[in-house]
Amino acid sequence: MMLSHIKVVDLTRDLGAYAGTLLARMGAQVVTTGTTERDAAELAMDQYGKTTSDTPLLDLIDAADIVFRGPEDCPPELSPEALAKRNPKLIDVAILPFDAGRANDGRPATDLTLMARSGLMTIVGDPGRPPLTLPGRQAWALAGIQGAIAALTALNARAADGMGQQAQVSAYRSAVLANYREPLTWEWVGKVGTRTGNLLIRGKSGVRQVWRAKDGWVTWALVDNQPMMRATVARMAEDGMAGELAEVDWDAILVADMPQDVLQRWEGIVEAWLATKDRATLTVLSNKHGMGLSAISEVEDVLASDHLAARGLWEETIVAGKTVKVPGMLFREVGP
């Protein structure tokens, strides 16, 4: 495995714990000192592949390549300066709620508050309703991903000069960077995004993105993609359900400039047709004819996927006394 020669000491508790898991999934030897009261599903995400050890902590660090630390207070002997003196080749990555030394340094933070401050919750949900957050602990997961990237980047640099590095990752900044569109919109035009629900706003109007199929949900949108629109309407016409859409010259109009009431009328025709097809049938039609449609998988679909199973994605492990299915190795080496 690609990182089997790398030793990691994970001092995190919750925030930052995912960084060590990602390296463990790439084969690194990850020893954790963290304790947590989280449920089995969260432990599977943040602690999978890690081990504990009776070896004194400082001895582990002396032999380590990477150490991950969270926002928890640490004794003087575990400070970045002290560890750098003990092990000059050590890569020391701190994963914190906010940038150290900046305005919010030291303020309490949870995944929920970090998501809210990042702006992601501003654009998630339906208009006129309270903001929503995404499932799981997304800000913490994003920070863990950035922490793993920081460690691997420093590891690559160490291969050139033999020296360790110190890096800091902000969970708040990680979440803001994931919200790629809104910060740029604010910076360039001074506007803050809003919740649009099941609408993709283009031009003067908005078009639906998620639709009910016969056995679940699919994603598709009535947009200015003429080949896609012709392919979809042709399939509807085969079933005698295209209605007035069969008369539309898609090369002569801009969907983004169409009145909202016209779009809603057209979408009603599409909605009726999609509801007659199951997701598998719609997927086959889309792939064959270029309809631009994708099926939305439920959790059960992902776990039961023959495609993913054939690639060895899932592994079973016991976490907190429960058998759970978790993703396996991120990468697999292929022999000659």
Side-chain angles (χ1 to χ4, degrees):
M1 293 182 286
M2 63 179 64
L3 294 183
S4 59
H5 61 297
I6 298 299
K7 296 180 179 180
V8 180
V9 176
D10 187 350
L11 302 178
T12 65
R13 295 294 187 268
D14 289 316
L15 175 59
Y18 191 43
T21 295
L22 288 173
L23 297 196
R25 291 185 186 281
M26 288 186 277
Q29 307 166 53
V30 183
V31 177
T32 180
T33 62
T35 58
T36 182
E37 299 298 328
R38 298 164 66 186
D39 65 31
E42 292 173 331
L43 286 170
M45 176 177 174
D46 286 350
Q47 302 299 330
Y48 177 75
K50 300 179 185 179
T51 62
T52 58
S53 174
D54 295 329
T55 304
L57 178 57
L58 289 177
D59 290 344
L60 287 173
I61 291 174
D62 286 344
D65 298 284
I66 299 167
V67 63
F68 288 116
R69 63 174 78 240
E72 298 80 17
D73 293 331
C74 64
E77 64 269 20
L78 294 180
S79 69
E81 295 76 17
L83 295 190
K85 290 181 180 179
R86 293 186 65 94
N87 184 352
K89 294 185 176 181
L90 184 67
I91 295 164
D92 189 344
V93 181
I95 303 176
L96 309 172
F98 301 101
D99 291 305
R102 302 290 293 271
N104 293 305
D105 186 17
R107 295 191 64 178
T110 65
D111 182 83
L112 178 64
T113 60
L114 290 169
M115 289 291 286
R117 294 177 69 97
S118 75
L120 281 168
M121 288 176 62
T122 304
I123 59 173
V124 176
D126 294 320
R129 300 183 66 182
L132 298 174
T133 189
L134 300 173
R137 304 193 183 197
Q138 294 293 326
W140 289 10
L142 290 165
I145 293 169
Q146 296 290 349
I149 292 172
L152 293 174
T153 302
L155 194 65
N156 184 63
R158 193 183 72 175
D161 60 20
M163 298 300 296
Q165 294 190 35
Q166 295 177 4
Q168 291 184 351
V169 171
S170 158
Y172 166 65
R173 186 181 293 273
S174 300
V176 171
L177 290 173
N179 185 5
Y180 69 97
R181 185 177 62 186
E182 305 310 317
L184 291 175
T185 302
W186 169 255
E187 180 178 1
W188 287 97
V189 299
K191 292 183 179 179
V192 177
T194 58
R195 291 184 289 282
T196 60
N198 188 19
L199 285 181
L200 174 66
I201 304 299
R202 289 289 184 270
K204 300 177 181 179
S205 305
V207 293
R208 292 176 57 180
Q209 301 179 87
V210 178
W211 307 74
R212 183 179 288 279
K214 193 174 183 178
D215 64 340
W217 301 88
V218 297
T219 178
W220 181 87
L222 201 161
V223 294
D224 287 305
N225 183 323
Q226 292 82 7
M228 188 183 89
M229 293 308 306
R230 285 193 288 267
T232 303
V233 173
R235 306 290 78 73
M236 296 170 65
E238 290 173 354
D239 294 332
M241 298 184 68
E244 66 179 282
L245 295 180
E247 307 302 322
V248 176
D249 183 352
W250 300 104
D251 293 312
I253 68 166
L254 280 177
V255 173
D257 289 340
M258 296 299 294
Q260 190 71 53
D261 61 333
V262 173
L263 292 178
Q264 289 175 343
R265 189 172 70 245
W266 289 355
E267 288 179 333
I269 301 171
V270 176
E271 179 180 37
W273 179 72
L274 290 173
T276 68
K277 307 288 185 185
D278 58 44
R279 291 175 297 167
T281 299
L282 289 169
T283 298
V284 170
L285 290 173
S286 181
N287 291 342
K288 182 177 180 180
H289 300 287
M291 291 164 48
L293 176 146
S294 298
I296 298 176
S297 297
E298 305 286 348
V299 173
E300 294 77 10
D301 299 325
V302 177
L303 292 174
S305 168
D306 293 336
H307 173 81
L308 297 178
R311 284 151 181 78
L313 176 65
W314 301 115
E315 296 179 2
E316 287 190 347
T317 187
I318 297 177
V319 180
K322 299 180 180 179
T323 300
V324 295
K325 188 177 287 188
V326 298
M329 298 299 297
L330 290 176
F331 305 98
R332 300 181 187 275
E333 294 184 10
V334 179

